[in-house]
Structure formats: C-alpha cells, structure tokens
C-alpha cells in the first residue's frame, strides 16, 4: 500500500467507563509511525499507562460491534496500539523463506521483590490468570542489584509479555508456595526460566520498555476504528483501595494513615494487623480512608460511604417550602407533622393572617404577618413584618426591639410559591437576616444600621429579641458565622455571590442557592456553594463550588446538587432524562429507583426537589 492511495479510515475513540472522577484517567497519547524489525512501518497510537489502571484495546469495522484486541494492566509503561501497516516490509531476497510472525503474547503484570531471610530468592506476585485473585510465590533466583535503578521493566519471553514492577523494599516470602492452576503454573515456569536473562538485561541497562504487537490482518478497502476502555476501579488484592491509588501512595510515600502500612496493589495487609489496607490508606489526603471514600481522587468529597437509607413516600398537596431534621414540612399557611396536615395557628382573635417562610430543626417557624402584595401582577410577592411560631401548634408572635425608646419591627419581602428551597433562613439559635421598619418614626429618627439588613434573633430559651450588624449583601445563613448573599457593592452583571465564614471568602460567579459546611476528617471544613435553579428547577451551566485549602474550585461529584445532607446524601437538579436525582453513596440515581412505587406525578420533567 502507498500512503497516497489508501481507501482506509482510522478513527481512535478514547472512551472512559468510570464514575465521574475529579481525576482524568483517559490515556493522553499520540500517533506515531514505528519501524519494526522486518523494516515495515506501522502507524500506531502510543500512550502512557497509569500504574494500577486496566486498559482494554478494542477495534470495530462498524462502530457497533467491538472486538477486544488486548488487555493491559498499567505499570506506568508506554503502550503501543498498532492500527495499520503504513509501509510494507521489502520483499525477501530470492530463495529466502518468508518470515513467520510470532503468535500474540499474553500480557501479564507482576511485582518482583527481594525475599528476606537467609534463603534469599525473589518473591513474585501477580493477579492470577486462573481466578483473578493475588498470587504470591518465592523463586530461588536472586534479583540482580541493577533492579534498584529500574522500578519498571517490560519485555517478551516465550509466549508472555512481562510488565514488572519492582518496589525497593524487601518482603518476607510465603511459608510455602501455593498450589497453582494451569495458567499460573505455565506463567511461573516461563518466568523462572527467563529471570536470569532479565537480570542480565537489567545489569546491562540496554532494554527499552516498549511493546510492539503485530498489526491485525487488513481487509482491502475497509474502515477500522479503535478505542481504549479504561478501568481505574480494579482492586487486585480486594483491600478496598484501588490499585492505582496504592501505586501512587507507594511512589509518593504519603497517604498512610497507620504506621507500617505501605501502598501495595498485590498485598491486602502490608502491616499484618488484620485490617485491610484500604481502611488505612488515603490516596487524596482528605482523611477519609479509600475503602470509605466516595471519590478517592477528590479531597472535597469526604463523607464516608455508609448504609443506603430507606425512604417512605408521603403525598402532601400544596407548595412545600422546607423540611427540617425532625421531618416537619411547612407550606405557606400549613404544616405537616407526623402524617397530619394542619393549618398554622393565627396570632389570636382579630390578628391578620400570617405566611410561613422558614423552619429550623427545633420546629420554630419564621413567617411574615400583615402581608400585602408587593406588585399588582405578582400577588405571591408579599411584604410585611416578621413573625414566628414557637412551635407548629402555638400562635404566632411578632418580632420587634426597642432602640432609644422607638419600636423597630423586623420587616421582609418574600415569595411563598417560587422561592421554595433548602437555603436556611432561620438558624437553631433563632437568628435570621431581615430589614427593619419603624411605623411613624419621630422627627430626625435615624436607623442605627442605616436601614441595611441586620442579623436578628428571636426569643429562644433565655435569649431575648435583638439585632446586630450583618455582613454586606448577606441574606441567608446557617449560623451567625456562616452567611451568604450578593456581592456588595453589586458588580455590573449583578450575578456574583459572596460567602462569609465568618470573614468574606473570594467571590463566586453566582448567588448561592445553598451553602453547606462539611467537616473534614483531617480537621477544618469544606464549604459547598450550590448554584441557583431556574423557574422550573432545571440545571444551568453553573456547577457547585467548594472552598477547601484556601480556594474555590468545582466539585464533580456534587456538581448538580441542590442540597447535601450530613451523611453525604444529596438531591440534584433534573438533568436530561434523569428526573429528581438523588446521590446515594457516590452514585446519582433517579427517584423512582431510590423510592420504588413513586407516584407518576413525581416523575414529571418539571418536578423540583427542594430540600433533604
């Protein structure tokens, strides 16, 4: 074939079939024309593997039916996918028989280490070719000292391509070699026979770790496609820490939560304490062990995996506003508790109607009383004085303070229909942020806070009603020391938000719908800011931001979140065909799978989850 006359299409599709990791395991490779020993030139895709990640090379002639060509266990080696013969080999001299290409080799990855003890020898470990579990044996041949300079080795011997990882430390050999299956026995026989030659190659340092598979047979006039599937979840020793993480921990020397634990993809208990290493290793350094970490590549996803919660379904008609940790649900004029929906009590005989707007986890409800429409064409937008219900069954009370002999009322605008959502408005300590109002102020009256919104507190326990300065632009809070709102002075686009914790953090490109503080196992906190919804709760291009280690950055696992519970469970915005999604143990799933039997109305594409 000549390069200019090919009716041949080459397309390489890099696909990754993994959860949404913060780290990208896709191979970053390039096309390269490589000469072979027969003087032909092969067009190849060359990529560097990540140690501990499994790669499967597949090809297809129609993009529908794929055939597996090879499976590689990465050891940080360079791998070559031969796609086509770019230039054929020259014809053999007259009378010379054609060269016979060797059969395809079996790729296998091993770990070689010096054995401790007087007997010496080498400890060899590999993922079994018979059952997939770890195999550990001792062979009598010693390793050449040159191996100390070569942690990774690759070469072909007989029918095997050996990819070898050599950690520097010495290990104890097994008390007795295990009984091996036929595939493992054949591999070990070739390895023992080839180890002296490997030692010589290592000592001479003349090898280059690059595979050179033969190209598949070509069909004239055909198109062919290739793809590389990546599996970073492989855990050869089943200790709960993925292989790639153990290789990385071994290379870095950090990520060990307990003394004596060493990252080793083929040994489930390196310190011999009876506890799997996955419970004692921490690849991303967030303090959550790998076996319990929802994302061991992202140090902002720290809530340990736990039992899947169970759900009960209750249909309650109306526009729910919020739910608290006691399971109490509030509506503009009603409250649902323990399976019973009742009207919120009034404030006594002749008192005007009040409308709820928030609830805390002590069942204290905040609302607006004496409400009047703020705009004629938007009657749901109301303004009025702030009131509160000490309990869902108690009459409401208005809130005011006396300052310099003048009665100052808490005053607010709110929307009881379109602004449902998880953003905390009333803390368990009784704090909220609102404007002030003075009816018929005396001449020369000046508000102590220049009529800016202030931090109020309702009487709870021994606390009395009071108010104090609140951070500029703040409108929501989960505690007096964690507040958020619009960046002030407001920028030209008016869409930047600010979070105070308690001092102002760098601004973010949206005013948060909710801000959640999650404690980090290693100490300190991570602060999650979820973006606002549109009118129907649909997603926008904004994604959740998390503040950790002194800066904001995007979080992939919670990118679509609306609210995050203390156990890591989250609710999310509708995304394509996924309606009312819920995050359980690092997996997003639809509500009808989470809660089988959910009514059809819950699966409407316009449904909007609001709180968890």
């Amino acid at each position: 074939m000549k390069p200019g006359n090919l009716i041949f299409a080459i397309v390489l599709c890099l696909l990754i079939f993994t959860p949404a990791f913060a780290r990208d395991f896709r191979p970053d490779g390039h096309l390269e024309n490589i000469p072979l020993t027969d003087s032909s030139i092969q067009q190849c895709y060359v990529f560097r593997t990540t140690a501990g990640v499994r790669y499967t090379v597949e090809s297809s002639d129609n993009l529908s039916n794929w055939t597996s060509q090879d499976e590689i266990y990465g050891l940080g080696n360079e791998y070559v996918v031969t796609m086509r013969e770019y230039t054929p080999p020259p014809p053999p001299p007259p009378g010379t028989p054609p060269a016979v290409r060797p059969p395809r080799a079996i790729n296998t990855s091993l770990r070689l280490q010096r054995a401790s003890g007087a007997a010496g020898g080498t400890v060899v470990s590999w993922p079994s070719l018979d059952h997939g579990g770890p195999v550990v044996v001792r062979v009598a041949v010693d390793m050449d000292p040159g191996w100390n300079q070569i942690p990774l080795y690759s070469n072909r011997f007989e029918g095997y391509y050996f990819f070898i990882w050599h950690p520097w430390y010495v290990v104890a050999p097994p008390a007795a070699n295990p009984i091996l299956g036929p595939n493992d026995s054949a591999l070990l026989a070739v390895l023992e026979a080839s180890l002296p030659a490997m030692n010589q190659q290592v000592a001479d340092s003349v090898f280059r770790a690059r595979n050179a598979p033969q190209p598949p047979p070509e069909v004239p006039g055909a198109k062919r496609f290739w793809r590389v599937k990546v599996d970073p979840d492989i855990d050869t020793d089943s200790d709960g820490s993925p292989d790639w993480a153990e290789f990385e921990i071994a290379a870095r020397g950090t990520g060990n939560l307990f003394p004596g634990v060493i990252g080793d993809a083929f040994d489930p208990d390196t310190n011999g304490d009876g506890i799997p290493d996955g419970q004692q290793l921490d690849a991303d350094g967030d303090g959550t062990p790998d076996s319990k970490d929802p994302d061991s590549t992202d140090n902002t996803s720290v809530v340990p995996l736990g039992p899947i919660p169970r759900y009960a379904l209750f249909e309650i008609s109306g526009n729910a506003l919020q739910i608290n940790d006691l399971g109490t649900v509030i509506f503009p004029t009603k409250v649902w508790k323990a399976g019973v929906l009742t009207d919120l009590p009034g404030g006594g005989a002749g008192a005007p109607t009040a409308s709820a707007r928030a609830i805390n986890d002590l069942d204290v409800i905040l609302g607006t009383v004496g409400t009047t429409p703020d705009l004629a064409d938007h009657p749901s937008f109301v303004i009025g004085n702030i009131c509160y219900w000490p309990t869902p069954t108690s009459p409401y009370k208005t809130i005011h303070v006396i300052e310099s002999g003048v009665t100052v009322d808490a005053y607010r605008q709110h929307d009881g229909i379109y602004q449902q959502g998880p953003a905390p408005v009333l803390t368990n300590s009784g704090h909220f942020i609102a404007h002030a109002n003075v009816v018929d102020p005396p001449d020369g009256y000046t508000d102590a806070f220049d009529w800016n919104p202030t931090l109020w507190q309702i009487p709870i326990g021994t606390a009395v009603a009071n108010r104090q300065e609140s951070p500029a632009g703040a409108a929501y809070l989960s505690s007096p020391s964690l507040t958020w709102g619009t960046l002030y002075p407001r920028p030209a686009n008016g869409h930047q938000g600010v979070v105070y914790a308690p001092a102002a953090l760098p601004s973010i490109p949206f005013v948060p719908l909710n801000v959640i503080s999650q404690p980090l196992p290693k100490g300190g906190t991570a602060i999650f800011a979820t973006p606002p919804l549109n009118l129907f709760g649909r997603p926008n291009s904004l994604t959740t931001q998390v503040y950790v280690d002194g800066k904001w950055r995007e979080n992939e696992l919670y990118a679509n979140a609306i609210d995050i519970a203390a156990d890591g469970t989250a609710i999310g915005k509708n995304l394509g065909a996924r309606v009312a999604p819920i995050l359980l143990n690092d997996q997003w799933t639809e509500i009808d799978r989470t809660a089988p039997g959910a009514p059809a109305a819950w699966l409407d594409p316009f449904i909007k989850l609001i709180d968890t």
Side-chain angles (χ1 to χ4, degrees):
M1 286 189 254
K2 295 182 180 179
N5 299 326
L6 292 178
I7 307 174
F8 194 90
I10 295 180
V11 177
L12 184 67
C13 306
L14 299 183
L15 306 181
I16 181 166
F17 297 89
T18 70
F21 283 122
R23 172 172 173 168
D24 191 352
F25 289 99
R26 288 176 294 183
D28 182 15
H30 63 278
L31 290 175
E32 185 176 335
N33 295 332
I34 299 177
L36 296 189
T37 55
D38 62 0
S39 298
S40 67
I41 298 177
Q42 308 294 333
Q43 190 170 53
C44 306
Y45 179 74
V46 184
F47 66 91
R48 176 74 60 180
T49 66
T50 297
V53 174
R54 179 165 52 201
Y55 301 84
T56 304
V57 178
E58 297 181 338
S59 63
S60 171
D61 57 10
N62 58 12
L63 290 177
S64 296
N65 302 312
W66 293 87
T67 301
S68 177
Q69 288 190 191
D70 212 351
E71 185 174 281
I72 310 102
Y73 184 91
L75 284 173
N77 55 294
E78 194 174 59
Y79 196 80
V80 179
V81 180
T82 304
M83 296 188 294
R84 67 162 175 162
E85 190 173 74
Y86 191 75
T87 302
T96 303
V100 178
R101 291 178 173 173
R104 296 185 65 83
I106 299 173
N107 289 310
T108 182
S109 299
L110 306 94
R111 181 192 66 200
L112 267 60
Q113 293 173 270
R114 290 184 179 81
S116 61
T122 302
V123 176
V124 186
S125 308
W126 70 90
S128 171
L129 301 183
D130 289 298
H131 54 74
V135 174
V136 182
V137 301
R138 176 189 171 276
V139 298
V141 181
D142 289 320
M143 300 182 70
D144 187 272
W147 282 96
N148 286 342
Q149 306 301 319
I150 302 176
L152 297 176
Y153 171 95
S154 169
N155 210 344
R156 176 174 178 150
F157 291 89
E158 296 187 24
Y160 296 88
Y161 248 116
F162 291 112
F163 295 91
I164 294 176
W165 169 46
H166 167 56
W168 59 269
Y169 53 91
V170 176
V171 296
N177 284 347
I179 298 175
L180 302 180
N183 294 322
D184 291 325
S185 296
L187 182 152
L188 181 60
V190 173
L191 176 68
E192 287 187 288
S194 306
L195 194 51
M198 293 183 191
N199 278 336
Q200 185 61 51
Q201 290 176 340
V202 167
D204 296 341
S205 299
V206 295
F207 76 96
R208 182 182 181 194
R210 170 177 270 187
N211 64 305
Q214 297 299 314
E218 297 163 352
V219 179
K223 295 182 179 180
R224 198 149 188 85
F225 307 86
W226 280 263
R227 69 182 183 185
V228 180
K229 294 171 63 176
V230 184
D231 179 13
D233 293 331
I234 184 172
D235 181 10
T236 299
D237 56 10
S238 300
D239 63 356
S241 188
D243 286 6
W244 69 263
E246 298 203 58
F247 276 103
E248 190 169 285
I249 289 169
R252 290 197 321 249
T254 60
N256 318 96
L257 298 176
F258 289 83
V261 180
I262 299 170
D264 190 326
F266 304 144
D267 187 344
D269 185 14
T270 55
N271 65 347
D273 63 357
I275 301 173
D277 288 346
Q279 298 180 26
Q280 301 178 322
L281 294 173
D282 178 20
D284 57 10
D286 60 8
T288 301
D290 289 342
S291 63
K292 293 291 185 180
D293 199 325
D295 188 346
S296 54
T297 70
D298 187 346
N299 65 0
T300 67
S301 299
V302 299
V303 178
L305 304 178
I308 298 293
R310 300 183 59 147
Y311 291 88
L313 302 183
F314 299 91
E315 285 195 79
I316 318 167
S317 60
N319 293 303
L321 300 177
Q322 282 187 321
I323 181 171
N324 68 5
D325 285 355
L326 300 178
T328 306
V329 183
I330 59 167
F331 300 80
T333 60
K334 297 180 181 294
V335 61
W336 184 92
K337 186 175 178 65
V340 178
L341 181 66
T342 58
D343 292 329
L344 278 170
T353 302
S355 177
R357 59 188 297 264
I359 186 171
N360 67 13
D361 294 327
L362 302 178
D363 264 358
V364 180
I365 300 171
L366 197 72
T368 312
V369 65
T371 57
T372 57
D374 188 27
L375 298 170
D377 56 345
H378 290 283
S380 66
F381 285 85
V382 295
I383 53 177
N385 291 342
I386 301 295
C387 68
Y388 72 99
W389 287 264
T391 71
T393 58
S394 304
Y396 71 74
K397 300 178 180 180
T398 58
I399 304 170
H400 63 268
V401 295
I402 307 298
E403 295 176 352
S404 302
V406 176
T407 300
V408 182
D409 298 303
Y411 184 76
R412 186 73 181 181
Q413 173 198 56
H414 85 276
D415 174 9
I417 293 180
Y418 294 109
Q419 291 186 350
Q420 304 104 309
V425 174
L426 178 66
T427 71
N428 290 345
S429 59
H431 288 90
F432 63 94
I433 296 174
H435 287 276
N437 180 51
V438 176
V439 179
D440 298 327
D443 292 340
Y445 176 79
T446 300
D447 183 89
F449 301 98
D450 199 23
W451 300 107
N452 292 317
T454 49
L455 180 67
W456 294 74
Q457 182 173 29
I458 62 177
I460 290 182
T462 59
V464 297
N466 66 83
R467 69 172 183 143
Q468 54 187 297
E469 185 177 10
S470 65
Y476 302 99
L477 73 169
S478 57
S479 72
S481 61
L482 182 59
T483 61
W484 64 93
T486 303
L487 184 65
Y488 186 83
R490 185 170 297 183
N493 60 20
H495 296 300
Q496 284 189 285
V498 65
V499 176
Y500 298 90
L505 304 180
S507 62
I508 52 178
F510 54 80
V511 178
L513 171 71
N514 197 8
V515 174
I516 303 102
S517 176
Q518 290 275 20
L520 296 173
K522 64 179 182 180
T525 57
I527 298 175
F528 294 81
T530 65
L533 301 172
N534 67 12
L535 183 61
F536 300 108
R538 291 177 174 175
N540 46 43
S541 60
L542 303 171
T543 59
T544 294
Q545 302 280 318
V546 60
Y547 187 82
V548 66
D549 295 335
K551 62 182 178 181
W552 289 105
R553 61 184 177 88
E554 293 185 359
N555 178 281
E556 262 192 87
L557 184 63
Y558 291 106
N560 193 49
I562 293 172
D563 191 21
I564 306 170
D567 66 353
T569 302
I571 56 174
K573 300 181 285 287
N574 296 346
L575 192 62
R578 178 170 288 164
V579 175
I582 298 179
L583 179 70
L584 298 173
N585 270 354
D586 86 336
Q587 295 293 324
W588 283 100
T589 183
E590 293 77 7
I591 197 170
D592 59 335
R593 294 183 61 196
T594 305
W602 288 34
L603 307 179
D604 186 284
F606 292 105
I607 191 171
K608 182 173 73 171
L609 297 179
I610 60 171
D611 206 355
T612 182

